[in-house]
Amino acid sequence: MSRFSRRTMIGAGLSAVAGASGLAIAGKLARQHGLIPPDSGGLYGPGETLTYGAQRLLARHSLAREFPREAISAAPWANPTDPPDDLFKRHQAAGFANWTLAVDGLVARPVSLSLAEIKSQPSRSHITMLVCEEGWSYIAEWTGVPLSHILELAGAKPEARHVVYFSQQHGWWDSLDMDEALHPQTLIAHTMNGQSLPVGHGGPLRMRVPKQLGYKNVKFVARLTVTDDIRKFSKGLGSASPEFGYSWYAGI
Ligand SMILES: Nc1nc2c(c(=O)[nH]1)N[C@H]1C(S)=C(S)[C@@H](COP(=O)(O)O)O[C@H]1N2
Ligand SMILES: [Mo]
């Protein structure tokens, strides 16, 4: 049986058993295939497992829709964020010349890359929609370094299971599984519509993961940690978002 039809069957199986004999069985099937999201406990846990499991089996290698240049939103409105702290303001005043992206954890070569070094890496662009769960969305051209390239540069180890990313803004962090981290459209974005990424949209560096909702697209990213144990971060839910009731997996 081909990989694809096998996946389709497992995915269809997940949805079917969810309806027929309850979420417990779907959860068991998902577990057998290693498809348990970090926020699988609690009231919404079985539903989270089902969504994540079915999506990862059926759609893991699909691309987010890319749009023609004419579709770029004229004046994208930046979602409000808390006012930046003093350290951020100092970086901003220095034109982010001293901004660094640290890469550590399960890597052969921990690195700390300056913004200039990031900008000199091979880049990729895509015109995609940023989708906020609260309804406001916009289309922009994003340019950045594929996260896969950064992981290769640092030498992510084979036992890596998640990439955790931290904002310089207190309280904002999230994670991706390795499939999503290595997805060709997942970028550490430094440029938006051909200009340095504005602070309002997360400059100087943000995670741009078009296959997930807006909140996974963390702004002001300063550190990446590669791990085989996502549960040891904070409350063990894989991100700050589930601590506030949002799903860890926010695939679209
Ligand atoms: N550090 C940080 N990252 C963040 C946020 C934030 O408040 N702080 N908001 C998130 C949410 S909820 C959304 S929808 C998008 C909004 O991105 P935009 O301002 O480019 O529209 O950024 C996400 N990343
Ligand atoms: Mo959002």
Side-chain angles (χ1 to χ4, degrees):
M1 199 185 290
S2 77
R3 261 172 91 85
F4 181 73
S5 58
R6 201 178 119 77
R7 254 189 217 132
T8 308
M9 275 192 53
I10 300 166
L14 273 179
S15 314
V17 293
S21 25
L23 292 162
I25 299 174
K28 192 173 158 209
L29 199 52
R31 252 191 312 282
Q32 279 169 6
H33 293 275
L35 295 169
I36 302 295
D39 55 348
S40 63
L43 189 56
Y44 298 107
E48 293 301 335
T49 300
L50 179 67
T51 310
Y52 176 60
Q55 288 284 328
R56 302 319 270 136
L57 289 165
L58 293 172
R60 68 206 301 192
H61 298 298
S62 67
L63 293 175
R65 178 172 174 203
E66 296 195 15
F67 294 82
R69 196 157 290 281
E70 310 83 79
I72 292 175
S73 307
W77 185 66
N79 267 250
T81 51
D82 293 338
D85 64 11
D86 288 347
L87 175 61
F88 188 88
K89 284 188 201 146
R90 283 200 296 278
H91 275 300
Q92 193 172 7
F96 298 111
N98 306 315
W99 189 272
T100 52
L101 177 72
V103 188
D104 55 32
L106 284 178
V107 293
R109 300 170 290 279
V111 284
S112 177
L113 301 162
S114 69
L115 191 56
E117 285 169 325
I118 296 272
K119 287 188 170 181
S120 70
Q121 299 297 316
S123 70
R124 172 177 173 138
S125 297
H126 52 64
I127 299 173
T128 50
M129 187 182 278
L130 191 139
V131 183
C132 173
E133 76 296 344
E134 295 189 34
W136 45 73
S137 304
Y138 64 92
I139 295 171
E141 182 185 38
W142 304 92
T143 304
V145 185
L147 180 56
S148 62
H149 176 79
I150 292 178
L151 294 173
E152 199 177 295
L153 196 103
K157 297 188 175 169
E159 58 270 33
R161 297 208 47 205
H162 290 91
V163 176
V164 190
Y165 43 104
F166 299 92
S167 174
Q168 201 262 301
Q169 183 182 17
H170 179 75
W172 277 90
W173 66 282
D174 216 306
S175 66
L176 298 173
D177 67 19
M178 291 310 283
D179 261 2
E180 199 98 71
L182 299 173
H183 187 280
Q185 291 171 314
T186 302
L187 307 177
I188 297 287
H190 52 66
T191 298
M192 182 179 157
N193 296 332
Q195 311 284 329
S196 287
L197 183 62
V199 167
H201 291 287
L205 289 179
R206 87 183 293 178
M207 186 61 71
R208 180 67 190 117
V209 46
K211 289 197 56 186
Q212 300 225 10
L213 285 175
Y215 63 80
K216 301 285 284 190
N217 294 252
V218 168
K219 300 175 175 186
F220 326 123
V221 170
R223 182 177 162 218
L224 307 176
T225 299
V226 180
T227 185
D228 64 351
D229 183 8
I230 190 66
R231 299 206 180 245
K232 72 181 179 210
F233 295 86
S234 185
K235 296 186 181 161
L237 299 175
S239 150
S241 303
E243 296 172 12
F244 300 100
Y246 295 93
S247 302
W248 168 77
Y249 181 73
I252 43 178

